[in-house]
Amino acid sequence: MRKIIFFFVLLVACTSNPNQPVRTSAEPSGRPKLVVGIIVDQMRHEYLYRYYDKFGNDGFKRIMKEGFVNKNTHYNYIPTKTAPGHASVYTGTTPAVHGIIGNSWYDRKLKRDIENVEDTVLKCLSPRNMLATTITDELKIATQGRSKVIGISIKDRGAILPAGHNPDGAFWYEEETGNFTSSKYYNNPSPEWLKKFNDKHYADSLLNLTWNTLLPIAEYTESGPDDTNYEEIFEGKERPVFPYNLAELRSKNDNFELLPTTPFGNTITTLLAIAAMEGEKIGQDEVTDFLAISYSSTDKIGHAFGPQSVEVEDVYLRLDQELASLIAYFDKNVGKGEYLLFLTADHATAEVPGLMNDQKMPAGLFPEDDLKDKINTQLGRLIGKGNWVDAVGNEQVFLNQSLIQEKKLELVKVQQLVADYLGQQEGIAIAFPANLFKTNHYASGTEALLYRGYHWKRSGDILMVYEPGWIAHEPVGTSHGSGYAYDTHVPMLWFGWKIKPGVSSNRHCITDIGPTISNLLDIAWPNGTRGNPIEEVVNN
Ligand SMILES: [Zn+2]
């Protein structure tokens, strides 16, 4: 008889504090003219405080002083990656429901990897793979389409997923041309204002600048030395050190492809956001509009140089200035207190393992590349020779299920054999046979993080979890994707319309953002929502 185990827990991982003051009336309180969602790609919560003294008064500091800060906001699933992160913020749910299980993943039907925003029907980029509605979708529905919704980012996924399924536009950077572009999925992929923006060739002029530190480099005491052996070196540079003369480096680094890995990728994003505001007349009438911005250069620079680098500190000091100019623009053109702004991240990031090891701290580099062969060899010994593995990616193993069927083997048993083997490898903490999700319910611990990130049709057969501090990466730079605090702990800031200054350390999940906005606007929740409105924000 099959043993079925259920874990009942009284408390889910993310709860609101019932002792918060509540509004005394349930009457509707109207809506703002504009909601601005800002995702800072790869931003850790701790950066707010590490760099605080170096920020100016009008960016992060102003949001933190005049707004509401949740100091304990986490991703509640594995994998903490860009596409799942953006989808989860805007859908209020996790990959198990919205289906965006990675930036790319192995597709069993197509027998190849697909990109998260790859539209195999229209043969272009679109949000088709995202299976749940976003808060931006719900705003469109609530206003019979009268709300304007625009998504903007350097990365396609950073623009496409937040803007939802039926926005007025989603625009992202094209690395071949330095222009911003869209796709035929959208009704108006090439508006007049975008053509004018591209005609200004901002990418070209920004790539003629030199990236030097904003402040004298000796003042970057929050970061390690500029020159380490654990940072990427641009082609044409001897060492990974300031200054970066982009006019010289661009030709050796694929020209426009270089821009996102400089702070000026954020600059051009801000310029485009303002151009979209003007071009689409956003926030100019009584119907609530939504501008979704995702800043990508923080992530590109984070991957290349790591969280203790001068480069990362510098991109945040400069982003602080971008935010200051953006907020000043909204104040002037939408009106102080007339817009609601939130800021968070799509994931955070791990420390650079080499730097950790040098300080006697646990971390490591897991060799993922030859894993497919190793698993095949191991299964060859146990159940006979064959191509048992279709793919390994996103810390998941995809088994050759048709071969397993053909040989009349039980899938869960093969999964268990692979999990047993992987579990013995150095650097792997847990290897988990996915079919256990059929019989067990996990509400806490690592298994619950995997469960919320697991999609039945799309995810792999065996899920791997590395030991804390371990990444599958080369020795320079870093990565993210785990369920550990360094990857899950992100900022959650609220500012503007109906937001009173305050701070809270109650634990909240990233999936609480969607329903919090729904609650503030009194509209329907994104249809796959698993989170809850944050009491301290909606009733403070
Ligand atoms: Zn990201």
Side-chain angles (χ1 to χ4, degrees):
M1 207 174 77
R2 196 164 61 185
K3 198 175 162 194
I4 300 177
I5 312 162
F6 285 101
F7 293 93
F8 290 104
V9 279
L10 291 172
L11 286 172
V12 289
C14 307
T15 52
S16 304
N17 185 340
N19 301 321
Q20 292 295 317
V22 290
R23 279 187 190 162
T24 49
S25 165
E27 286 179 346
S29 48
R31 289 178 191 158
K33 288 160 87 173
L34 173 68
V35 181
V36 183
I38 299 177
I39 290 185
V40 180
D41 205 313
Q42 205 185 105
M43 184 169 182
R44 290 171 152 198
H45 170 79
E46 58 121 352
Y47 291 160
L48 288 171
Y49 292 90
R50 176 138 58 111
Y51 306 141
Y52 190 85
D53 290 341
K54 300 281 157 69
F55 289 145
N57 289 322
D58 305 319
F60 282 113
K61 263 188 190 169
R62 184 172 159 207
I63 300 174
M64 290 166 76
K65 276 183 185 161
E66 296 177 23
F68 196 92
V69 181
N70 289 105
K71 293 180 78 171
N72 191 13
T73 300
H74 292 263
Y75 275 82
N76 56 344
Y77 61 82
I78 294 171
T80 45
K81 299 204 175 177
T82 298
H86 283 79
S88 300
V89 168
Y90 280 83
T91 59
T93 189
T94 68
V97 178
H98 63 59
I100 303 296
I101 59 164
N103 292 335
S104 62
W105 58 86
Y106 181 74
D107 184 295
R108 293 186 194 275
K109 274 195 195 130
L110 298 172
K111 298 198 181 301
R112 64 167 173 86
D113 280 7
I114 66 162
E115 285 293 312
N116 66 95
V117 288
E118 180 179 339
D119 187 328
T120 53
V121 179
L122 285 180
K123 314 274 182 225
C124 67
L125 302 187
S126 90
R128 190 180 298 273
N129 297 327
M130 182 167 58
L131 305 173
T133 64
T134 56
I135 183 68
T136 41
D137 285 336
E138 295 298 338
L139 182 62
K140 275 280 184 191
I141 295 169
T143 61
Q144 307 301 330
R146 287 190 289 270
S147 289
K148 284 229 165 191
V149 172
I150 298 283
I152 279 170
S153 179
I154 286 277
K155 293 186 184 178
D156 46 25
R157 50 189 178 264
I160 290 170
L161 301 172
H165 296 83
N166 194 20
D168 295 278
F171 305 100
W172 57 93
Y173 183 74
E174 197 174 50
E175 292 195 329
E176 300 76 37
T177 62
N179 287 334
F180 278 83
T181 189
S182 188
S183 87
K184 63 181 174 189
Y185 174 87
Y186 301 95
N187 291 335
N188 187 10
S190 188
E192 221 30 61
W193 63 263
L194 184 71
K195 287 181 202 155
K196 279 190 195 148
F197 181 87
N198 284 332
D199 282 345
K200 289 185 177 149
H201 303 290
Y202 286 118
D204 190 58
S205 24
L206 290 165
L207 282 169
N208 285 330
L209 299 174
T210 290
W211 174 21
N212 211 336
T213 50
L214 187 68
L215 307 174
I217 198 162
E219 292 180 24
Y220 285 61
T221 48
E222 301 75 16
S223 300
D226 187 21
D227 193 1
T228 78
N229 290 327
Y230 304 112
E231 299 180 18
E232 261 178 40
I233 303 175
F234 288 131
E235 289 295 324
K237 286 280 285 185
E238 301 271 304
R239 298 297 307 164
V241 293
F242 286 96
Y244 294 96
N245 183 336
L246 304 181
E248 261 175 48
L249 295 172
R250 62 189 289 182
S251 63
K252 293 171 187 142
N253 293 274
D254 301 311
N255 202 7
F256 294 116
E257 255 184 60
L258 179 61
L259 188 72
T261 316
T262 76
F264 308 125
N266 291 338
T267 309
I268 200 169
T269 306
T270 306
L271 290 170
L272 185 74
I274 290 171
M277 288 286 296
E278 307 267 317
E280 300 283 345
K281 299 195 171 46
I282 290 173
Q284 297 305 306
D285 59 24
E286 294 315 305
V287 185
T288 308
D289 295 332
F290 205 119
L291 179 67
I293 307 171
S294 174
Y295 283 107
S296 309
S297 291
T298 41
D299 179 74
K300 297 272 186 179
I301 292 169
H303 276 294
F305 302 99
Q308 305 305 328
S309 66
V310 177
E311 285 84 351
V312 163
E313 178 167 358
D314 197 65
V315 72
Y316 280 94
L317 301 190
R318 290 172 183 275
L319 178 64
D320 181 55
Q321 296 188 331
E322 303 290 338
L323 293 176
S325 68
L326 204 55
I327 291 170
Y329 177 87
F330 295 139
D331 277 354
K332 185 159 174 268
N333 296 281
V334 181
K336 259 189 180 178
E338 305 272 352
Y339 61 94
L340 167 68
L341 182 150
F342 70 91
L343 185 148
T344 187
D346 55 340
H347 52 78
T349 193
E351 297 293 341
V352 174
L355 278 178
M356 289 287 279
N357 293 159
D358 287 354
Q359 297 171 78
K360 305 179 188 171
M361 299 201 195
L365 300 171
F366 186 81
E368 204 187 38
D369 285 350
D370 55 352
L371 211 51
K372 190 175 166 178
D373 293 340
K374 282 184 179 164
I375 297 167
N376 263 328
T377 309
Q378 175 68 4
L379 286 179
R381 271 186 219 123
L382 298 171
I383 54 176
K385 277 214 165 96
N387 283 321
W388 297 106
V389 182
D390 276 342
V392 177
N394 293 328
E395 285 98 59
Q396 300 183 1
V397 180
F398 289 77
L399 292 174
N400 183 343
Q401 292 186 354
S402 32
L403 180 64
I404 289 168
Q405 259 180 356
E406 193 189 304
K407 302 272 182 195
K408 298 197 167 41
L409 295 165
E410 233 185 293
L411 179 61
V412 69
K413 285 195 178 147
V414 184
Q415 288 182 348
Q416 189 65 57
L417 290 176
V418 177
D420 289 345
Y421 169 71
L422 291 173
Q424 292 162 13
Q425 309 304 310
E426 192 194 6
I428 294 182
I430 299 173
F432 188 86
N435 266 31
L436 286 185
F437 288 144
K438 278 190 178 153
T439 46
N440 302 327
H441 174 71
Y442 300 94
S444 64
T446 307
E447 289 85 355
L449 296 171
L450 291 169
Y451 188 51
R452 294 189 201 102
Y454 180 83
H455 190 270
W456 276 107
K457 287 204 180 72
R458 295 180 179 175
S459 297
D461 290 285
I462 300 98
L463 316 174
M464 294 181 277
V465 175
Y466 299 131
E467 302 281 7
W470 281 68
I471 53 175
H473 207 259
E474 66 252 44
V476 296
T478 189
S479 195
H480 50 83
S482 79
Y484 298 112
Y486 51 80
D487 280 341
T488 64
H489 193 191
V490 291
M492 195 204 279
L493 309 178
W494 300 86
F495 175 81
W497 184 81
K498 303 280 182 201
I499 302 295
K500 297 201 187 92
V503 63
S504 158
S505 290
N506 291 334
R507 190 176 175 101
H508 289 290
C509 290
I510 206 69
T511 47
D512 294 340
I513 291 178
T516 298
I517 297 168
S518 292
N519 185 298
L520 284 166
L521 303 186
D522 290 322
I523 63 173
W525 293 14
N527 64 12
T529 297
R530 291 278 168 90
N532 284 295
I534 300 164
E535 189 70 24
E536 308 93 284
V537 174
V538 298
N539 280 330
N540 89 336

